Amino acid sequence: EDRPSWQSCEDLDGALPEFVMDENFLDYPLCMQQRIYSTLIRDPVDRAVSHRAHLNKFDAQGKLGDSYNKRLDLGLYNYFSWALSAGMNNGSKISVVPELDNLKIAMDTISRFDFLLDLFHNSTCNMKILEFMGFSNVTKLPNENEKPGENSEPFDRKKLEDFNLLDRKLYEYALRITYVDCDFFSK
C-alpha cells in the first residue's frame, strides 16, 4: 500500500524502526536530515535468477497463491530501478516495467543514499563502511540465499540481461559510487 502523501519525516521516524536497509521502505520525499539511507546492491541478472528461484520455492509450498505471476514480473524486469523510482515519481505509481525516465530518477535517488554495500565486491570496504555505521562486530556479511538447484527452471541469461537493461545501468552507476566511497573510507 502506498504511504499517504501527507506523512512527514517525523511521522516516518516514529513509524519505522531505527535501522532500515531495504529499498521497499524508500521515503517520499527523502528525509535526508532525519534518516540514514543505505541499501545492498548486486548484479541484477543474478538477483533476478535468485528472485525466481525464491518464488518457485514458495510457490511449491503453496505460499503465494494468485500473486506468483505479479511478483515474478516485478522481480524479473528492472526491479531495482522500479523500487528506487516508485516513490520519487511525483508520488504516482509506475508500471511494473520501468522506462528510461525511471532510471534517471533511480540514479538520482541512489546518489543521495548515505551508504551502498555490494555483497560481491570489496568485502574489506564493506566492513569499513559497516564499522562506520556502528556495526563493528560484523566479520562477514551473511548470504543465506540459496543458489538455484538442479530442479530449478532453466533460464536464458541473455534474455534476463535484456529484461534488466535499466538495472544493469543502475548497478554500474552504483558500483562507481561504491568505488569512490571505498576510497574515502580507506583513508
Side-chain angles (χ1 to χ4, degrees):
E1 181 175 298
D2 290 338
R3 184 172 35 257
S5 59
W6 50 263
Q7 198 167 29
S8 69
C9 291
E10 291 77 21
D11 293 335
L12 289 172
D13 281 343
L16 293 175
E18 184 176 326
F19 179 76
V20 177
M21 194 166 182
D22 187 334
E23 71 277 6
N24 285 329
F25 287 95
L26 183 61
D27 304 337
Y28 176 77
L30 291 176
C31 300
M32 299 306 289
Q33 301 305 312
Q34 290 90 346
R35 302 199 72 74
I36 294 173
Y37 289 87
S38 59
T39 195
L40 299 172
I41 60 173
R42 69 185 284 200
D43 177 89
V45 175
D46 292 343
R47 188 209 47 76
V49 170
S50 176
H51 174 78
R52 187 167 73 180
H54 177 78
L55 285 181
N56 287 342
K57 178 181 173 182
F58 281 99
D59 189 49
Q61 297 170 359
K63 294 183 177 180
L64 296 179
D66 295 336
S67 69
Y68 175 80
N69 287 332
K70 183 177 179 183
R71 288 177 178 223
L72 183 64
D73 284 349
L74 183 60
L76 290 182
Y77 302 101
N78 296 301
Y79 172 75
F80 203 43
S81 297
W82 176 86
L84 289 172
S85 63
M88 303 303 288
N89 197 29
N90 296 321
S92 63
K93 292 184 179 183
I94 63 171
S95 70
V96 171
V97 182
E99 299 173 357
L100 189 56
D101 287 344
N102 300 111
L103 174 62
K104 293 173 187 173
I105 294 168
M107 286 176 153
D108 178 64
T109 303
I110 206 165
S111 71
R112 294 191 274 157
F113 275 34
D114 298 287
F115 303 104
L116 300 177
L117 297 174
D118 180 10
L119 291 180
F120 299 99
H121 295 94
N122 206 342
S123 61
T124 301
C125 179
N126 287 338
M127 293 306 119
K128 289 180 187 254
I129 291 173
L130 286 169
E131 186 175 321
F132 183 80
M133 292 171 70
F135 296 97
S136 57
N137 59 345
V138 176
T139 56
K140 183 181 177 197
L141 291 175
N143 183 353
E144 298 174 3
N145 291 341
E146 298 175 22
K147 296 193 184 293
E150 294 176 13
N151 299 325
S152 64
E153 294 177 45
F155 68 93
D156 180 342
R157 185 165 187 92
K158 174 69 174 120
K159 191 179 283 188
L160 285 177
E161 287 174 358
D162 292 344
F163 288 165
N164 287 282
L165 182 59
L166 297 180
D167 271 9
R168 289 176 37 229
K169 295 289 183 193
L170 181 59
Y171 181 63
E172 290 169 11
Y173 178 75
L175 280 178
R176 288 195 306 269
I177 293 172
T178 65
Y179 297 147
V180 171
D181 287 351
C182 287
D183 186 51
F184 173 79
F185 285 105
S186 296
K187 294 182 180 185

